[in-house]
Amino acid sequence: QVPLVESGGGLVQPGGSLRLSCAASERTFSTYAMGWFRQAPGKEREFVASIKWSGATTYYADSVKGRFTISRDNVKNTVYLQMNSLKPEDTAVYYCARSRFQSGSSFQGDYQYWGQGTQVTVSS
């Protein structure tokens, strides 16, 4: 098991910003792609963003493209999700996940380890 610990969630007004962090306690963190997923109440978990092991390639769901940015610091073993221009429909529990592979994807089956999730609520 690879512990992944998310932080940075909270309550924010529409149009606001949050930055989520996901810290991994694994020396091989830098060799795997990482992803962010989210699950809103009553909905299935969905892909948000992924990043290649090197950070050179990123993918985003259409719903967040242009508003969210995924990044990683392989020295700190941490992946980030900068969320700007937040909307009420972004309200969800956000999960980070470590892929089995070096390249990221939107397929949940490609991800081997998951964090416990952090709540993001966008409301006025």
Side-chain angles (χ1 to χ4, degrees):
Q1 189 73 13
V2 175
L4 299 171
V5 181
E6 300 102 332
S7 61
L11 173 64
V12 63
Q13 292 187 343
S17 298
L18 280 176
R19 188 176 83 153
L20 305 183
S21 300
C22 173
S25 57
E26 180 191 25
R27 283 182 291 178
T28 57
F29 169 85
S30 63
T31 63
Y32 296 100
M34 296 293 293
W36 285 97
F37 293 78
R38 67 186 182 186
Q39 187 168 21
K43 295 187 177 181
E44 294 189 352
R45 189 164 58 188
E46 65 176 6
F47 170 75
V48 175
S50 68
I51 186 166
K52 190 175 181 179
W53 68 275
S54 63
T57 306
T58 57
Y59 299 103
Y60 297 93
D62 287 343
S63 58
V64 306
K65 204 172 293 183
R67 299 188 298 122
F68 290 11
T69 302
I70 188 172
S71 61
R72 65 189 298 161
D73 185 333
N74 286 342
V75 173
K76 296 182 178 180
N77 284 3
T78 301
V79 62
Y80 305 97
L81 186 68
Q82 177 67 43
M83 306 186 294
N84 298 328
S85 302
L86 282 161
K87 306 175 181 180
E89 51 264 43
D90 294 318
T91 295
V93 177
Y94 283 71
Y95 299 90
C96 72
R98 198 213 80 181
S99 176
R100 293 180 172 86
F101 309 110
Q102 292 186 329
S103 294
S105 78
S106 61
F107 179 50
Q108 295 188 42
D110 285 350
Y111 293 84
Q112 187 174 15
Y113 299 110
W114 296 78
Q116 82 289 349
T118 185
Q119 176 70 47
V120 172
T121 303
V122 184
S123 175
S124 55

